[in-house]
Amino acid sequence: MANLDSQNDRVAIIYTPINQSLRVREEERFADEEEQEVAVYVKEALALAGRSADILCLDLDHLEKLAGYAGVFNLVENYSGCDPNLESNFARRLQELGLPFTGPGALTLKTCLNKADTKARILQHGLLSPAYSVIKPGDAIQTGLPFPLFVKPVQEDGSLGVGINSEVNSQADLVAKVQEIHDLYHEPALVEEFIDGRDISVAILGNDADLQVLPPREIIFEPGFVGPKVLTYEASWVTTSAAYAYNKNICPCPLNDHARELMMIMARLISQFMGCQDYTRVDFRLRGNTPYALEVNPKPSIHPDSGFSLCARAAGLDYSAMVNTILDQALRKQPLQYRTQPARESLRL
Ligand SMILES: Nc1ncnc2c1ncn2[C@@H]1O[C@H](COP(=O)(O)OP(=O)(O)O)[C@@H](O)[C@H]1O
Ligand SMILES: [Mg+2]
């Protein structure tokens, strides 16, 4: 354990300072910059429950500054151009310090960052995820999968690398998009079966006996929108774009009982076997009544306007209650809990 002063119940809210000189894709700054804004909202939400917190920039060289805090509200994420292991390394260091922190441990963060690794685990557990192929830079660009296909980077978040050219219908378009991902992101491209369906996410709050599966949320494009109904980077972040203006979150979203139950059960199982903790969001595409799990967000955005916050509100939790619940759950965890990804046999519905 770190040398913690048990009298002190202050919390450190930690975010990543964005190193402008490392950022390689300036146009992606919107996604990177959200963290600092969220830190302020989190601090206000904790204050409403009488909790004191300090907002600190991530400083891996001086983690001793954290001794004395009761715990960490961990907002640290990778950003464009940084070491992709930044997020999981920071969690690993907190584990070593024995300091409780929000969200899961390093192993889960690392596995969830890689969408192909995540999909492999989902499929191993007998759940559906789109058929896929991973194409590394230098590999032959062929998949054996029938068109239409969907192409995205294997390890980015927040729709980075997802564009209107992600849906591909020909070998030429496939080659162009895969090449674009290799050139811009220097990482493998994940090519998936295109799931023509609805964008639905299921958020989970809390652990074990306190775990709540929140009502599903859908992202829809309002009538009048021209273009592919896909959550591209533009649609997520570029406030001046039509794709941004026309999409909106609906929670709870209309679903028949079968699809709703199925997605809620799948999300709970997936979050458990991935070792997610405190708060999680699982993204699906729903084709007819068949949900395909796309990815797991082990530290989803908790901006007040985020899908996660909307789902919490739909379940009767205002922003402050949601943020404080995440912290309560974290402070209750034992150090070993960060290391585990439970075996199949121990999963509980
Ligand atoms: N296989 C697919 N078929 C159809 N659309 C997809 C597929 N994969 C992703 N998408 C679209 O791209 C969006 C972002 O993909 P996702 O896998 O959730 O990555 P991230 O949110 O981390 O960028 C989804 O919300 C969906 O609109
Ligand atoms: Mg997603």
Side-chain angles (χ1 to χ4, degrees):
M1 281 293 272
N3 182 19
L4 300 180
D5 170 1
S6 58
Q7 301 306 307
N8 191 347
D9 57 5
R10 283 188 92 77
V11 171
I13 303 168
I14 309 212
Y15 73 96
T16 332
I18 306 300
N19 185 334
Q20 302 295 338
S21 62
L22 272 183
R23 193 208 301 281
V24 285
R25 292 174 294 278
E26 177 56 25
E27 67 283 9
E28 290 175 350
R29 70 182 184 281
F30 304 113
D32 293 342
E33 285 166 2
E34 193 193 75
E35 232 179 75
Q36 197 169 347
E37 209 183 310
V38 172
V40 177
Y41 286 120
V42 166
K43 182 173 169 151
E44 287 167 3
L46 296 178
L48 284 176
R51 283 173 148 150
S52 312
D54 297 319
I55 298 177
L56 305 177
C57 261
L58 173 66
D59 181 357
L60 281 173
D61 295 330
H62 295 100
L63 289 183
E64 71 281 358
K65 283 189 208 153
L66 299 179
Y69 282 101
V72 167
F73 209 109
N74 181 15
L75 298 176
V76 169
E77 286 189 49
N78 300 327
Y79 60 92
S80 80
C82 80
D83 168 7
N85 295 318
L86 178 77
E87 188 182 23
S88 55
N89 279 345
F90 178 53
R92 185 177 49 74
R93 298 282 301 276
L94 290 175
Q95 285 168 235
E96 286 162 8
L97 284 174
L99 198 57
F101 58 96
T102 56
L107 177 62
T108 296
L109 291 174
K110 207 169 166 54
T111 317
C112 291
L113 179 65
N114 187 304
K115 290 188 169 72
D117 292 349
T118 306
K119 287 164 66 68
R121 288 184 63 97
I122 291 171
L123 293 165
Q124 269 166 18
H125 282 82
L127 303 175
L128 272 183
S129 185
Y132 70 110
S133 171
V134 177
I135 305 181
K136 297 200 272 306
D139 283 359
I141 302 181
Q142 55 198 25
T143 66
L145 299 168
F147 291 105
L149 295 169
F150 197 86
V151 191
K152 55 195 173 185
V154 79
Q155 56 170 34
E156 298 295 332
D157 263 332
S159 292
L160 261 64
V162 175
I164 51 171
N165 59 352
S166 283
E167 183 189 342
V168 296
N169 285 287
S170 68
Q171 179 63 21
D173 290 348
L174 172 68
V175 169
K177 183 65 189 178
V178 168
Q179 204 66 62
E180 177 194 297
I181 288 169
H182 290 170
D183 292 348
L184 282 179
Y185 297 91
H186 309 287
E187 67 183 75
L190 175 62
V191 183
E192 285 186 330
E193 167 190 12
F194 177 76
I195 307 295
D196 191 7
R198 298 164 64 187
D199 257 304
I200 296 182
S201 299
V202 180
I204 291 184
L205 179 64
N207 305 316
D208 305 321
D210 297 328
L211 185 148
Q212 296 182 62
V213 185
L214 305 179
R217 173 277 312 233
E218 180 172 11
I219 296 170
I220 61 145
F221 284 87
E222 290 178 294
F225 177 68
V226 185
K229 293 183 173 129
V230 160
L231 198 62
T232 58
Y233 182 79
E234 261 205 330
S236 306
W237 300 103
V238 183
T239 49
T240 50
S241 70
Y244 183 94
Y246 277 89
N247 83 76
K248 71 171 190 206
N249 282 294
I250 299 186
C251 183
C253 59
L255 282 172
N256 67 36
D257 292 347
H258 167 82
R260 181 186 310 102
E261 285 292 303
L262 195 52
M263 276 189 286
M264 290 172 81
I265 289 172
M266 280 174 77
R268 175 189 277 259
L269 280 171
I270 291 170
S271 81
Q272 285 184 342
F273 64 66
M274 295 304 288
C276 295
Q277 306 207 8
D278 309 334
Y279 66 123
T280 312
R281 199 190 75 228
V282 182
D283 291 349
F284 294 92
R285 273 229 142 187
L286 181 67
R287 179 158 68 190
N289 281 324
T290 309
Y292 291 80
L294 295 180
E295 59 141 358
V296 179
N297 299 278
K299 268 159 72 251
S301 169
I302 48 166
H303 189 286
D305 296 337
S306 66
F308 193 95
S309 304
L310 180 68
C311 297
R313 267 201 303 284
L317 288 161
D318 67 20
Y319 188 68
S320 175
M322 176 193 97
V323 168
N324 280 285
T325 303
I326 293 171
L327 182 63
D328 289 339
Q329 293 291 308
L331 295 179
R332 235 173 263 164
K333 279 184 288 188
Q334 299 300 315
L336 261 181
Q337 268 177 270
Y338 291 104
R339 306 228 170 100
T340 49
Q341 290 190 348
R344 191 171 180 155
E345 308 71 58
S346 65
L347 298 176
R348 287 184 305 166
L349 279 183

